[in-house]
Amino acid sequence: MTKEMICISCPIGCHIEVTRNQDEITVRGNKCSRGEIYGKEELLSPKRVVTATCPADSILMARIPVKTTRPIGKELINSLLEDLYKTRVQAPVQCGAVIMENYAGTGVDVVVTKSLSS
Amino acid sequence: MSNLFDVAVIGAGVTGAAIARKLSSYNLKTVLLEKECDVSFGVSKANSGIIHGGFHHDSSMLKSRLEARGNLMYDQLKEELHFPFKRCGILVAAFSTDEMRTVEKLYNNGLENKSIGIELCNHERMLNLEPKLNTDVTGGLFAPGGGIIEPYRFVFSLVESARKNGVELLTEFKVTGSRSNDESYTVESADGRQIEARWIVNAAGLYCDEISRIFDAEEYEIKPRKGEEFLLDRNASAHTDKVIFPAPSKHSKGMLVIPTAEGTTMVGPTAQMVDNKESSSTSKENFQTIFASARRLIPQVSERDIITSFTGSRPTLAGDDFYIEPSKRIPRFIHVAGIQSPGLTAAPAIAEYVKDLLKTEGLQLAEKADYDPCIEKVPRFRNLSKEELAELVEENPAYGELVCRCENVTEAEIVAAIRKDHITLDGIKFYTRAMMGRCQGGFCTHKIMKIICRETGLSMDEITKRGGGSWLVHKEVGDYPLRSRNLDGERQQP
Amino acid sequence: MKEITKDVVVIGGGSAGMAAAGEVVGKGHSVVLLEREEILGGILNQCIHNGFGLHRFKEELTGPEYAERYARIIEESQVEYYTGTTVSEIDSREDGKTVFAFSSEHGMLRINCRAVVLAMGCRERNRGNIGTPGTRPAGVYTAGLAQRLVNMEGLMPGSKCVIVGSGDIGLIMARRMSWAGAEVKGVVEIQPYPAGLTRNIVQCLNDFDIPLHLSHVVSKIYGKDRVEGVDITPLKNGMEVTEETFHVECDTLLLSVGLVPENEIARNTGIKINPETNGPLVDSNLMTSVEGIFACGNVLHVHDLVDYVSEESQRCGEFVSTYLKAGDREQQYSMVSGSNLKYVIPNRFSSGRDNHFYMRSLIVRNHAELVFSLDGNEVKRKKIRHIQPSEMISFTLKKEELADFNLDEQSRLEVSLIG
């Protein structure tokens, strides 16, 4: 199986080809070693930091921005988002406050990214 | 409430609004019917805003006589109704001896129509009057009595004044049927509402023909002639002092450079017969034609200054003159049709003319003792000095809240618009100029939406750009399902 | 009415204004900061995605987090700041300046000062600026306005959208709309290369299988009341290939077609504008053509990274402080952009110190060279691994590197890119 992707480890943006043959993964088209790491990770377990908003119980703001503390598996993103959209956040709250802990056993938390006074 | 009116005016464009206001000075029960959700949303909204100088047609035409008369009425109207109006003067520029001959004809029309101060100009005089003109200009015409207004502001003011004096306004009242007895007509709207009126004034613009058909009056056809215009930034170096016309062709007054009453510049319009009355599409070809024509007049005109473009359609009628007559087929019905250019200029005179027709036809007119021609003047942030503003904000803090930063429009002005029933984005835009500047609402649309919600109790998804299906937002974040997409949408890794 | 006297007025409480104000107050001057929104932070508040602060804080922050770090500095400092306050006019005289502003809380503010920093940011180009033909229905939004609606108000501007322009805000919005369950049917870019960062192409488009149509334009908009669809036409040699036009149904069109410095106040104050950037022309101290008025951040030129905005604005704060301490004005020389560069900022340089330049490339290349030459003599040459118009070039020319050259009033330093 071969997948084409663009390495985003640096601004050059090499177009790389990642091929998987049984246990062996080869990366081609990369100009440096970071491309190889990127390609393998993207193929095996692509992860993303998710940012979103939750409804806020505040007269100041309708929504409060949140983010995952680390990248999470792409396959979990949609269910995480649905859960976040249903999570009401009460003011006051400080930037960095955890509103969801260890999401789906990933060890990743969701934190508020803006302080909101009452 | 009794639904029997003396007069129903169909169409709240500039013609209908002027007629309704005129009738509001008499002891009559008048209703103004409009199919759109706000007034001035048809022909009168996308209009060059020119108060013509009375030289385009000879005095044999009705429209020429009404134009000359209407032009003279604007100074007093401005005093009473506070809409932006400047008698900035009009120039017609000729670039050849042929064109100069056409201009001489216009000059003679002007003399005949008693256009005040009209003069023929040579090359130097033209450039003195407007230094930005293309120096190839051969000569031309100067009509100092011509000017510019904001057409929708004029209509808004007319309707406000009419309502203040008792006229009832029904919007979203699209006339689809009528019945009559000896005394009156029953007028039906698409949504099932009905009113009764003894007299009907058909001022329905592009739809005069359909209204006439609904009432079983005369058969005629209104053909739309579409015009496309571009609005340039207020910093545009092409901004002139006067309205600049080219020498006209047989079918059109040509494409102009217009310094708007609020300091921006407009170029256009095109003139193109179309089949669809609602056609509002702009095209690339017209864009090129307009800029080429405008640059021939004022070389500084540049595409770089475009803020926006828009289209409008002129309601044209065979014969090219206004058709303002009582129906010969049905009683108590006045046609006010084919009101294309110079309809805006003529509107106040049309209103008087229609009033006289109604009287001749037998409508009893008694002047209203408490008629008040003046409406309240809403202060505008951009028109006031710092000292005046400082005082005003003390009185009303909402004047300190600048919502539209391009055109300097405050929350107070937006609230004023909403309280006068302009509750769509376009209505507020026309009333206040918010969202009309260079950012086109990029920074203020959401603020204005919130003010509308607060003032009217509407929810965000009920707010529209201009009524109908022109919604702005329709769901909230989180309303769409996502989880299900994991199964079919997202490609899973093996 | 409220009358205030301070050393400096900073106009704009976004990333530029906060960094400049923080620096000026830190140098011991009195500062007033004016912000038209209700909270500090400017446009960062609606940029809830991450990727901010990698240069500045060596960590990846979201926009609101980045804004909050600076806002805290301002709140805890001696800076007197007013939110919900809009400047209407700067009166500039030889003996000082007066800034007039309005707010509902204080009415008119009249602020007397010795120096002004312009930090009002930029605005988005819109449909009129790109002249898209067609009807004029509801549903055509600039990407920034859509971002505001979605991220701060929680409102969805539509369910099926096409994005015009591959600028970063447009790309970020493609992901945001997708993550909110809307369908993004494609991104249409007039240039043969994307306008936004590669990272955003990958994470905002490729992750969602959103097609990117390079060298294409939206040639027509359909719909009477609300957008119903668009025509998309490919370009060949700059001409529309109309027979290859295809139609896409959508209810929303988002425009991400570039940003322009908000230069209204600058113009009205008589400040000279740089036609390449649409921001003010500035000398090596980021001072505009009107003495005592400085400019920094996106009001000066549009940056792609907020980190650079902060850096430039902090430097601007230092320059303001030096100006207030009223040393003799140093000699300034002309600075121009040469081949393959759209612009260089600032437009002057000084000989007795380091000079920091920001440049924007006109070309896409791997392995280019940045060459500085003074009156035709090469001063400095630097290799760059990759350049593209969407990534600003930031470079410091050291004091020593100019030391060996003789400068006179006519001297001109030119910077070029050699591909």
Side-chain angles (χ1 to χ4, degrees), chain A residues 39-57:
Chain A
K40 286 181 177 169
E41 212 172 81
E42 272 296 288
L43 192 75
L44 290 175
S45 63
K47 292 191 175 74
R48 299 288 183 264
V49 167
V50 173
T51 61
T53 59
C54 296
D57 280 329

Side-chain angles (χ1 to χ4, degrees), chain A residues 6 8 11-13 31 34 38 48-53 62-63 65 67 74 77 81 85 95 113-115, chain C residues 39 45 48-50 60 62 64-65 68 72 151-152 154 176 179-180 198-199 202-203 207 385-386 391:
Chain A
I6 304 169
I8 55 168
I12 288 188
K31 292 194 174 72
R34 283 189 290 174
Y38 176 85
R48 299 288 183 264
V49 167
V50 173
T51 61
T53 59
R63 311 286 297 190
K67 70 170 184 185
K74 274 173 84 178
I77 291 177
L81 284 168
Y85 295 149
C95 179
T113 58
K114 183 168 186 59
S115 301
Chain C
I39 51 173
N45 285 316
I48 64 164
H49 56 282
N50 67 331
E60 233 180 302
T62 64
E65 288 172 313
E68 201 161 317
R72 190 134 301 156
N151 291 349
M152 296 186 78
R176 180 61 57 206
W179 272 352
T198 310
R199 176 177 73 181
V202 172
Q203 299 204 335
D207 268 10
R385 273 179 82 190
H386 178 80
E391 297 195 10

